[in-house]
Amino acid sequence: MSHSNEDAATNGTMQQKRNIQIIEWEDLDKRKFYSFGVFITLSIRATVYPATLIRTRLQVQKGKSLYGGTFDAFIKILRAEGVRGLYRGFMLNTFTIISGQAYITTYELVRKYVSNYSDDNTVKSLVAGGAASLVAQSITVPIDVVSQQLMMQGQGEHLSRFRLPSKSETGKPKIVFGQTRSIVTQIFSADGLPGFYRGAVASLLTYIPNSAVWWPFYHFYAEQLSNLAPSNCPHIVLQAMAGPLAAATASTVTNPMDVVRARVQVEGRTSIIDTFRQLIRDEGAWGMTKGLSARIISSTPTAIVMVVGYETLKKVSLRPELVDSRHW
């Protein structure tokens, strides 16, 4: 073999190793995947929940009536309600772990199905991400409706339609699941069963595009970073950088609908269009950016933890016979 051919072969090998290798559904040991997945999903949710709570309160408040911004909200909640205040509704929210498992399963299965018709990674990611969000939101919306009402209690309780009884009213200290039961009862009394699906359309219009945008941008940023980084740079580092970039992009694109979704669910509104119009009328175009900084701030650690956790989960769940054939 000539020197030029040897160089070409070497460069080809290096380029192959530089590319971000995607572990597909058929490559996984499913038992490991689901066992480790529950723990990782729960860890991610516990890490980012305070930012989610802050984002919700910022989006629902009128103007800056209570909080001046993300940091101001964090300090005020911490001072007035303590660390527990940052985790209002968290116990109930952990049930969304079911939707988390449904999400990743749907994503991987749809991605595998679409690969029968297209080899384009962007197409596979776009379709699979949207489908996964559709399935997950059908499970998540009722939990979100209740947990968001719990988030608004305490310092932000005047922003909610429903109120928890105080200790003086009941004579007993408030219990976590007692709070949940109280909110569930109030929602059912006021709106019936449809009350638990209030804002479902707004949620779908928020999270399906968010998910559909996130995955293609994630793979795009990862590949671009792999072209810029040294050949010996670990792929997990590039993926951890690509995750927040994709999350910031998706958050910016979908934030206007996320503001509308939060108000529909918390304030009990019935019309997405009327909520949007009132938001523009009262607060102008800037109203569409409410909670965006909190969303991006929360999405950064979320994306890093999620990407590192998810990619690590897939690696440790890789079928044993495939381990040696992969370059990380």
Side-chain angles (χ1 to χ4, degrees), residues 267-328:
E267 296 177 354
R269 297 174 178 270
T270 57
S271 173
I272 295 173
I273 296 176
D274 288 345
T275 302
F276 177 81
R277 286 175 176 170
Q278 183 174 350
L279 181 62
I280 293 294
R281 184 172 58 251
D282 293 346
E283 305 184 47
W286 285 107
M288 295 289 98
T289 67
K290 292 175 74 70
L292 178 58
S293 60
R295 199 172 175 205
I296 291 177
I297 289 171
S298 69
S299 70
T300 297
T302 301
I304 293 174
V305 173
M306 186 186 81
V307 166
V308 172
Y310 187 58
E311 296 294 348
T312 300
L313 169 64
K314 291 175 77 174
K315 288 174 186 176
V316 299
S317 303
L318 193 65
R319 290 191 287 123
E321 65 270 22
L322 298 175
V323 173
D324 294 335
S325 66
R326 300 304 175 101
H327 304 290
W328 311 122

Side-chain angles (χ1 to χ4, degrees), residues 6-20:
E6 290 177 355
D7 291 340
T10 301
N11 290 336
T13 301
M14 290 181 64
Q15 183 63 38
Q16 183 181 5
K17 290 184 179 181
R18 283 167 59 92
N19 290 338
I20 304 294

